[in-house]
């Protein structure tokens, strides 16, 4: 039930986005006195994000030797033992509606994001698991999130310090699928036996949805001071008020439910634009 | 304005009369997949016809249209050159070899076997140009028409470029088994050139081949359903499964099917189609997978490189490999006790509402992002 409610909320939020394009930012505690008269209205932020990514799939499993994620995607040492999984790149795009301007300290808004990451390995032969075949199997993930975003930009707007601090909290979901060769993986009666609900997924494509809580905190370096004139021209022509480089620490905590876990603690880096 | 229109029509008619019987042959493709723009290759020379369309103006009376092929654009223009001897530079394409109607200019689509355009001496093996004038050259198709003034070349000769050089042979071919599949890898084909400077020092440079269209994978035994499927496969008994390759264990090499492809078989469409697995790869590919194979049956494959003119070269065969069941990550996850159950974005029985809503939200998000318009003040 909880997943249905969350999904419904995400759906409504997404469906509302087109109307947000016409939305304005509401202001709290008077008007934004720091904004230049020549500056265009600022309602949104967009982030292009990159993270080293490694989902904690194996947190579902206990015991020594690591779980199936390590045993499948881990790097082999000189003795052929899989020791660690190398992080993969997670690329994502986030769009925030800076719905409420809290003068003079910052803004509170709603952000939605979608990303992509994948892990690929050569599938081992069933009869001799220590030997890899020429066929690849991949775990592909499309993490999405809906978060509340608080950006504290008072320093950047009122002082010479070009820093904006921010925090995010919300829900995340990841659509995932697993491939076998060129096709989606499917279990059959010939597959290795599963200890629970063995035949329950025979014939079904290996694709699913997992949920998590997501928290993040970070800092953004406003780049306007590098080329103030260029930024002003960009605002005039494109409506982009400010551009940033940012670094963020992100915590994704899986929900306690039967699901493929995709949670991770990681850094994110990227560029952001307010417009 | 009416006067201007009448003037233009009148001038056009005059121009048409003035250029009566001006014929220009145009290569518009072939009966069997010959792109009109690319050079003809050995595959065309042995198998294909080229379609020629004659664009004409004026009189549609047909006067003994002949087609001649020459070594340059004007060779066939002079009557003394049109001798068709082996030492000549202009040869007639026999009327009997030209397909299509030649009853009038109004019906001017002709099919000419490509070998007569490339190898007009006519031995048909598509190798004579190599000794006659090189494996990469251009011939010219001229149209000769008999009029009251005698036999004359009309219009402009059509350039027929050809390239009979095969691409470099793929090397280092290796194969590894998958589930009902074999993945074959090879080294990218390269061209090595060497230069020697004034001091006598020789420098060798290796560059990637540019005249390359892609690679085919041919494997034996041929696909199931073929009349000969399985008859030339080796026996499975005696397989040393852990090593998976024949030939590296004593006593098993005789069970693996041999596979060598001759130059003639490379261009034998029936043979090629029987053994080819999948479509042609890109030119930059260094591996390909043959799938829909039978687990437990030994296979051996070769890699065929094809260039932009359709010339082919074949590698030596891979080692023998036996497709066997593999464990994908989903099977490993579930085998380890993973509790996740699959769901789908498709609206099918068993798909949960939450998943469907989330799928809709993903699509809606994408639509919203694309459809959003920034409003300027």
């Amino acid at each position: 039930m909880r997943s249905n409610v969350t999904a419904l909320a995400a759906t409504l939020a997404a469906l509302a986005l087109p109307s947000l394009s016409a939305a304005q930012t509401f202001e709290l505690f008077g008007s934004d006195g720091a904004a230049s008269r020549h500056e265009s209205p600022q309602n949104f932020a967009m982030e292009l994000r990159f993270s080293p990514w490694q989902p904690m799939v194996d947190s579902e499993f206990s015991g020594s030797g690591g779980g199936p994620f390590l045993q499948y995607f881990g790097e082999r040492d000189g003795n052929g033992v899989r020791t660690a999984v190398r992080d993969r790149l997670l690329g994502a795009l986030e769009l925030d509606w800076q719905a409420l301007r809290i003068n003079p300290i910052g803004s509170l808004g709603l952000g939605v994001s979608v990303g992509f990451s994948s892990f690929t390995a050569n599938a081992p032969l069933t009869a001799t698991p220590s030997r890899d075949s020429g066929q690849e199997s991949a775990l592909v993930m499309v993490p999405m999130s809906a978060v509340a975003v608080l950006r504290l930009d008072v320093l950047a707007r009122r002082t010479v310090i070009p820093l904006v601090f921010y925090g995010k909290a919300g829900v995340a979901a990841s659509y995932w699928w697993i491939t076998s060769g060129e096709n989606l993986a499917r279990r059959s009666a010939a597959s290795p036996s599963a200890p629970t609900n063995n035949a329950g997924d025979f014939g079904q494509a290996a694709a699913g949805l997992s949920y998590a809580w997501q928290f993040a905190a970070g800092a953004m370096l406003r780049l306007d001071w590098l080329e103030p004139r260029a930024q002003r021209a960009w605002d005039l022509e494109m409506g982009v008020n400010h551009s940033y480089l940012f670094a963020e620490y992100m915590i994704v905590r899986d929900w306690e439910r039967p699901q493929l876990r995709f949670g991770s603690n990681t850094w994110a880096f990227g560029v952001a634009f307010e417009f | 304005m009416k006067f201007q229109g009448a003037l233009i029509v009148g001038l056009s008619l005059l121009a048409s009369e003035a250029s009566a019987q001006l014929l220009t042959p145009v290569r518009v493709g072939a009966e069997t997949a010959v792109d009109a723009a690319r050079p003809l290759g050995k595959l065309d020379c042995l198998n294909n016809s080229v379609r020629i369309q004659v664009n004409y103006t004026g009189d549609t009376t047909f006067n003994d249209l002949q087609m001649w092929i020459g070594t340059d654009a004007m060779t066939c223009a002079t009557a003394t050159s049109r001798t068709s001897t082996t030492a000549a530079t202009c040869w007639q394409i026999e009327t009997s070899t030209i397909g299509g109607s030649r009853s009038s200019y109004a019906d001017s689509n002709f099919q000419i076997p490509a070998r007569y355009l490339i190898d007009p001496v006519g031995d048909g093996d598509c190798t004579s140009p190599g000794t006659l004038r090189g494996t990469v050259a251009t011939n010219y198709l001229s149209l000769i028409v008999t009029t009251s003034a005698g036999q004359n070349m009309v219009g402009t000769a059509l350039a027929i470029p050809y390239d009979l050089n095969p691409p470099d042979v793929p090397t280092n071919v290796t194969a590894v088994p998958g589930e009902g599949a074999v993945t074959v890898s090879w080294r990218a084909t390269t061209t090595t050139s060497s230069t020697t400077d004034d001091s006598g020092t020789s420098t060798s440079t290796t560059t990637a081949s540019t005249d390359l269209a892609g690679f085919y994978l041919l494997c034996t035994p041929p696909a199931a359903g073929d009349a000969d499927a399985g008859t030339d496969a080796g026996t499975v008994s005696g397989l040393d499964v852990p090593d998976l390759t024949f030939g590296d264990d004593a006593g098993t090499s005789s069970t693996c099917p041999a596979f060598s492809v001759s130059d003639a078989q490379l261009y034998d469409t029936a043979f090629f189609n029987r053994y080819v697995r999948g479509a042609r790869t890109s030119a930059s590919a260094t591996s390909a997978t043959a799938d829909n194979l039978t687990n437990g049956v030994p296979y051996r494959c070769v890699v065929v490189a094809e260039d932009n003119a359709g010339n082919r070269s074949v590698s030596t065969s891979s080692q023998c490999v036996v497709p066997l069941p593999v464990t994908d990550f989903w099977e490993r996850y579930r085998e380890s006790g993973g509790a996740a159950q699959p769901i789908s974005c498709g609206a099918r029985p068993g798909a949960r509402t939450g998943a469907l809503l989330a799928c809709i939200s993903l699509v809606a998000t994408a639509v919203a992002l694309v459809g959003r318009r920034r409003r300027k003040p």
Side-chain angles (χ1 to χ4, degrees):
Chain A
M1 175 57 76
R2 186 173 59 169
S3 66
N4 288 355
V5 171
T6 307
L8 182 61
T11 304
L12 293 175
L15 292 174
L17 270 180
S19 62
L20 295 186
S21 64
Q24 300 296 310
T25 297
F26 302 99
E27 299 208 25
L28 206 59
F29 306 125
S31 62
D32 182 12
S36 162
R37 280 189 303 140
H38 305 293
E39 199 173 311
S40 66
Q42 177 184 317
N43 307 117
F44 298 95
M46 188 183 74
E47 295 178 359
L48 187 60
R49 308 161 54 84
F50 300 96
S51 309
W53 181 256
Q54 185 171 150
M56 294 186 285
V57 176
D58 285 347
S59 65
E60 183 183 351
F61 305 92
S62 57
S64 60
F69 188 72
L70 170 65
Q71 290 305 320
Y72 211 90
F73 297 109
E75 303 286 315
R76 283 197 170 101
D77 65 12
N79 298 319
V81 178
R82 294 189 190 272
T83 53
V85 180
R86 184 171 48 85
D87 288 346
R88 305 302 204 269
L89 180 70
L90 170 67
L93 189 68
E94 178 173 319
L95 181 67
D96 298 350
W97 172 34
Q98 298 176 332
L100 186 63
R101 175 83 219 157
I102 307 168
N103 290 316
I105 62 169
S107 67
L108 183 64
L110 172 70
V112 292
S113 75
V114 61
F116 180 88
S117 186
S118 70
F119 290 77
T120 304
N122 283 81
L125 294 160
T126 304
T128 52
S130 61
R131 178 152 184 157
D132 288 341
S133 71
Q135 185 170 316
E136 291 185 335
S137 182
L139 167 63
V140 185
M141 292 188 150
V142 181
M144 299 165 279
S145 68
V147 292
V149 185
L150 176 65
R151 292 186 196 273
L152 306 176
D153 58 4
V154 62
L155 284 179
R157 294 173 80 89
R158 302 275 180 153
T159 73
V160 294
I161 302 170
L163 288 176
V164 174
F165 298 96
Y166 65 91
K168 300 174 184 175
V171 293
S174 178
Y175 188 66
W176 54 264
W177 64 90
I178 296 168
T179 63
S180 179
E182 302 295 318
N183 306 308
L184 280 173
R186 295 171 196 271
R187 292 182 71 242
S188 68
S191 298
S193 179
T196 58
N197 194 18
N198 180 43
D201 57 5
F202 283 179
Q204 287 189 54
L209 198 65
S210 302
Y211 301 95
W213 300 114
Q214 181 168 319
F215 307 95
M220 309 166 78
L221 175 64
R222 186 177 279 188
L223 301 176
D224 301 12
W225 56 273
L226 289 174
E227 283 287 347
R229 286 188 176 182
Q231 184 65 52
R232 211 167 295 138
W234 205 10
D235 185 22
L236 201 63
E237 293 169 10
M238 307 275 292
V240 177
N241 302 79
H242 306 289
S243 48
Y244 300 89
L245 293 175
F246 70 87
E248 168 187 314
Y249 192 71
M250 182 170 62
I251 298 171
V252 182
R253 282 277 174 270
D254 288 285
W255 288 3
E256 289 299 328
R257 62 191 291 274
Q259 65 175 16
L260 186 83
R261 299 189 181 185
F262 74 105
S264 183
N265 300 334
T266 188
W267 288 91
F269 305 92
V271 293
F273 307 97
E274 288 179 323
F275 52 96
Chain B
M1 188 60 76
K2 282 183 179 177
F3 173 76
Q4 274 186 324
L7 183 61
I8 289 171
V9 170
L11 288 174
S12 299
L13 286 171
L14 282 173
S16 175
E17 287 300 316
S19 59
Q21 289 192 338
L22 175 62
L23 297 100
T24 304
V26 179
R27 188 177 152 200
V28 288
E31 292 301 289
T32 49
V34 179
D35 177 1
R38 68 166 173 78
L40 299 175
K42 192 165 183 179
L43 184 66
D44 306 311
C45 193
L46 292 171
N47 296 305
N48 293 335
S49 293
V50 175
R51 193 156 66 92
I52 303 291
Q53 179 178 310
V54 177
N55 293 333
Y56 64 91
T57 58
D59 188 0
T60 60
T61 305
F62 188 84
N63 288 315
D64 186 28
L65 175 65
Q66 296 178 0
M67 295 191 178
W68 289 70
I69 193 84
T71 54
D72 66 49
M74 295 306 293
T75 296
C76 297
T78 53
T80 53
S81 297
R82 297 195 289 270
T83 59
S84 285
T85 65
T86 53
T89 54
C90 180
W91 302 266
Q92 184 178 6
I93 298 174
E94 292 298 327
T95 304
S96 60
T97 66
I98 301 173
S101 170
R102 298 194 309 132
S103 59
S104 95
Y105 297 158
D107 184 5
S108 59
N109 278 314
F110 308 110
Q111 287 90 46
I112 304 176
R115 65 178 179 274
Y116 294 113
L117 301 174
I118 298 171
D119 187 10
V121 176
D123 60 4
D125 66 357
C126 297
T127 57
S128 290
T131 54
L132 198 63
R133 46 188 315 246
T135 52
V136 180
T138 298
N139 285 334
Y140 292 84
L141 177 69
S142 301
L143 303 179
I144 308 298
V145 173
T146 302
T147 66
S148 56
Q151 279 195 328
N152 290 302
M153 174 179 164
V154 289
T156 308
L158 174 66
I160 308 281
Y162 66 85
D163 172 5
L164 300 176
N165 277 344
D168 294 331
V169 175
T171 58
N172 290 37
V173 177
T174 58
V176 287
E179 182 157 346
V182 169
T183 299
V184 179
S185 305
W186 59 89
R187 181 179 290 175
T189 52
T190 55
T191 301
T192 302
S193 59
S194 110
T195 55
T196 305
D197 61 19
D198 294 341
S199 64
T201 305
S202 179
T203 306
S204 185
T205 307
T206 301
T207 54
S209 295
T210 53
D211 182 19
L212 195 60
F215 299 90
Y216 289 100
L217 210 54
L218 272 60
C219 298
T220 188
D226 186 282
D228 292 337
T231 57
D232 48 355
T235 58
V236 183
S237 61
L239 262 179
D240 181 2
V241 171
D243 284 346
L244 293 169
T245 56
F246 289 88
D248 60 355
D249 295 288
T252 59
S253 59
S254 62
T255 62
C256 185
F259 195 30
S260 63
V261 179
S262 69
D263 194 57
Q265 287 171 323
L266 276 181
Y267 299 99
D268 178 340
T269 306
F271 175 90
F272 201 85
N273 290 342
R274 184 173 158 221
Y275 288 95
V276 71
R277 296 281 181 170
R280 190 176 69 187
T281 70
S282 68
S284 59
T286 56
S287 70
T289 298
D291 52 15
N292 294 321
L293 306 183
T294 306
N295 283 338
V297 172
Y299 288 86
R300 200 187 284 275
C301 301
V302 296
V303 180
V304 174
E306 185 173 83
D307 68 14
N308 293 312
N311 301 302
R312 292 170 174 170
S313 60
V314 61
S315 72
T316 55
S317 65
S318 69
Q319 82 276 27
C320 205
V321 289
V322 183
L324 288 171
V326 303
T327 303
D328 59 49
F329 178 65
W330 179 236
E331 289 174 320
R332 175 63 57 82
Y333 171 82
R334 295 283 289 128
E335 180 188 19
S336 302
Q341 290 293 316
I343 55 175
S344 171
C345 269
R348 58 172 176 71
R352 287 182 289 182
T353 313
L356 285 174
L357 287 173
C359 293
I360 293 168
S361 72
L362 177 60
V363 174
T365 303
V367 170
L369 288 172
V370 171
R372 183 186 168 279
R373 292 287 183 271
R374 171 85 177 105
R375 289 193 174 185
K376 294 271 293 177

